Amino acid sequence: MALFIPTYFGPISQYTEIVKSDSVVFEMEDNFQKQSYRNRCYIFNANGKQLLNIPVKDKNKGSSKRKKTKDLLVDNDAHWQLHHLKSLQTAYRTSPFYEFYEDDLRTIFTKKYTFLQDVNIDAHLFIADALQIPLTYYKTEEYSINPDGNDFRELADVKIQPKIPVEKYIQMFDDKHGFIPNLSILDLLFMEGPNTISYL
């Protein structure tokens, strides 16, 4: 069993481990941390690395209590879904495989979400389906300091670089900006399509 934090179209390093795992367990009892892939991902546009961030509302605001990720509400007043979809279209519409996945991807940006965790689970299921890996996953019921099996929760931290460097592949704007490693799995998927699983 391998333990992961549900992320928003997580980085390539996370999916490298997910595809190698016999079973995926999602940590549901962690405290929310800013500067993490829990509510953000990075894509490659004409200007270089672009952040896509899901704004969240804190229903425990003003409380000194730690906030669990599973309790975080999505701030839909910010119209983040429209912004993210347009950003993806602008960055990848001429990529080899964007059109192939566009219709399925659009459902995530038109569905009404209340909780951040639900967005992340749907994002994972979209990627799992695209990669044709098992859609089955398990959820933790309590936070484990020393879990049995492989612990990959640190891959949700933006500041932690993968131990194994991400191999290069052709990117949309690498002739202008050079190769940018460990972007969202979407970057690899739109460039490599069905070959993504072989790359990982």
Side-chain angles (χ1 to χ4, degrees):
M1 296 178 83
L3 185 58
F4 298 90
I5 300 282
T7 55
Y8 179 53
F9 294 117
I12 292 168
S13 58
Q14 187 177 46
Y15 276 92
T16 298
E17 299 303 335
I18 285 175
V19 299
K20 290 192 278 187
S21 303
D22 292 330
S23 61
V24 170
V25 181
F26 282 131
E27 177 62 78
M28 304 304 285
E29 301 299 327
D30 64 310
N31 290 323
F32 180 70
Q33 295 173 27
K34 295 179 180 178
Q35 301 292 313
S36 78
Y37 294 114
R38 288 168 179 81
N39 67 323
R40 66 176 57 199
C41 68
Y42 291 94
I43 64 170
F44 201 162
N45 70 12
N47 296 315
K49 193 173 180 180
Q50 179 186 356
L51 166 66
L52 298 182
N53 186 68
I54 301 177
V56 293
K57 292 191 284 192
D58 184 0
K59 68 180 184 181
N60 293 324
K61 202 167 188 174
S63 166
S64 58
K65 201 172 144 186
R66 298 293 297 269
K67 288 87 181 171
K68 288 196 173 184
T69 305
K70 70 178 185 180
D71 294 330
L72 277 180
L73 305 171
V74 174
D75 184 359
N76 290 310
D77 292 340
H79 305 294
W80 63 274
Q81 288 169 295
L82 181 62
H83 167 65
H84 290 196
L85 182 59
K86 283 185 174 177
S87 296
L88 288 167
Q89 287 169 337
T90 301
Y92 296 108
R93 65 183 158 216
T94 60
S95 68
F97 292 97
Y98 179 77
E99 282 188 6
F100 186 75
Y101 300 107
E102 185 176 21
D103 288 344
D104 290 335
L105 186 66
R106 191 183 297 273
T107 60
I108 292 173
F109 296 107
T110 52
K111 182 177 175 179
K112 284 291 176 196
Y113 290 100
T114 301
F115 292 97
L116 173 66
Q117 211 71 304
D118 293 333
V119 181
N120 293 347
I121 294 295
D122 279 359
H124 168 71
L125 292 175
F126 166 82
I127 296 298
D129 183 55
L131 298 179
Q132 297 186 328
I133 60 175
L135 298 176
T136 307
Y137 63 90
Y138 304 93
K139 296 179 178 180
T140 61
E141 294 181 1
E142 59 183 31
Y143 188 83
S144 177
I145 297 172
N146 298 304
D148 295 330
N150 297 311
D151 186 354
F152 296 107
R153 290 177 293 186
E154 69 176 22
L155 294 176
D157 189 330
V158 171
K159 297 184 288 293
I160 293 178
Q161 294 302 312
K163 293 180 177 73
I164 301 168
V166 172
E167 283 185 41
K168 288 186 178 181
Y169 56 94
I170 295 171
Q171 293 176 315
M172 283 297 294
F173 306 100
D174 54 7
D175 57 334
K176 188 176 175 184
H177 300 286
F179 180 75
I180 302 178
N182 206 36
L183 292 174
S184 166
I185 186 66
L186 290 176
D187 185 76
L188 179 59
L189 184 66
F190 296 151
M191 297 307 294
E192 295 290 330
N195 192 48
T196 299
I197 194 77
S198 302
Y199 171 91
L200 294 169

